[in-house]
Amino acid sequence: MADNNKEGRDIQTQISRRRFLSYLSGLFIAGGFLLQGFAALKSLFPRVLYEPPTKFKVGMPSDFPEGVRFLPEHRLFIIRNDDRFHCISAICTHLGCTVNLAQYSPPKEYESHSGTAVSETYEFHCPCHGSKYRENGNVYAGPAPKPLPWYRMYTAPDGQMVVDTNTHVDHDFRLKV
Ligand code: FES
């Protein structure tokens, strides 16, 4: 009688072990399907990096008084000299901090590499590691490896000025309006 009971218990243990194993394998299969479904869904939404546009309107020429105006939303400077405009990046070429405008009155005098006397009314100074840029964006102090780039400007059909940060121009570039 005792042997029969033990045998019965063994059979029950075997059945519950089999059931457990079949549940477990069912779970693994369901998990596999779920993962595949998730991967398929993810592939429907490609990874895209949305970057700000590289061409944008900055306003009418009349919005800009004579001199330098900083546009913080675009991190650049628009410089007006009579009816001629140019645009210089405000992004430090060292590690990307935004440079500050330093204005001088009376103008600051210095001697260029070629020995000629130059006077300027403003410069750009980086607050992060002390790089300093001349009026034309050339570096003269600090760790910045390159000058501040100048961006191409043009006039849109509605008369607004457009800056194209994708196109760098030489220091003799001017937009005449
Ligand atoms: S980020 Fe401008 S000097 Fe370092």
Side-chain angles (χ1 to χ4, degrees):
M1 185 74 175
D3 277 352
N4 279 350
N5 280 347
K6 187 174 178 297
E7 208 172 294
R9 256 185 272 127
D10 283 350
I11 289 169
Q12 272 187 341
T13 310
Q14 272 182 11
I15 289 172
S16 56
R17 193 177 296 153
R18 252 185 239 142
R19 226 178 249 160
F20 173 73
L21 286 175
S22 82
Y23 282 145
L24 206 61
S25 55
L27 267 179
F28 275 123
I29 291 168
F33 276 122
L34 267 177
L35 277 178
Q36 270 192 341
F38 179 68
L41 263 179
K42 228 177 131 192
S43 70
L44 292 177
F45 302 95
R47 284 193 197 179
V48 179
L49 188 61
Y50 293 100
E51 293 193 339
T54 56
K55 288 180 191 162
F56 42 83
K57 292 177 177 174
V58 290
M60 299 298 286
S62 55
D63 297 335
F64 292 82
E66 186 76 10
V68 189
R69 185 171 153 202
F70 176 51
L71 301 186
E73 67 276 31
H74 299 301
R75 298 177 76 200
L76 51 80
F77 297 96
I78 302 284
I79 297 107
R80 177 178 193 155
N81 189 355
D82 292 330
D83 55 355
R84 289 144 51 91
F85 291 80
H86 67 278
C87 174
I88 300 183
S89 165
I91 302 169
C92 182
T93 59
H94 179 223
L95 293 175
C97 290
T98 302
V99 299
N100 294 323
L101 176 68
Q103 288 183 295
Y104 298 108
S105 179
K108 180 180 171 181
E109 310 284 340
Y110 72 95
E111 199 171 292
S112 72
H113 290 306
S114 58
T116 47
V118 182
S119 77
E120 26 179 56
T121 53
Y122 60 89
E123 287 182 347
F124 306 103
H125 295 173
C126 182
C128 293
H129 312 100
S131 287
K132 292 185 177 177
Y133 301 85
R134 298 281 185 211
E135 212 173 78
N136 62 8
N138 284 345
V139 192
Y140 74 90
K146 288 187 297 185
L148 296 171
W150 288 38
Y151 298 136
R152 184 171 83 96
M153 296 179 79
Y154 58 92
T155 310
D158 63 1
Q160 291 204 58
M161 296 189 298
V162 179
V163 171
D164 173 7
T165 58
N166 227 7
T167 309
H168 295 184
V169 291
D170 292 333
H171 291 180
D172 57 358
F173 173 91
R174 296 292 183 279
L175 172 69
K176 202 166 179 310
V177 294

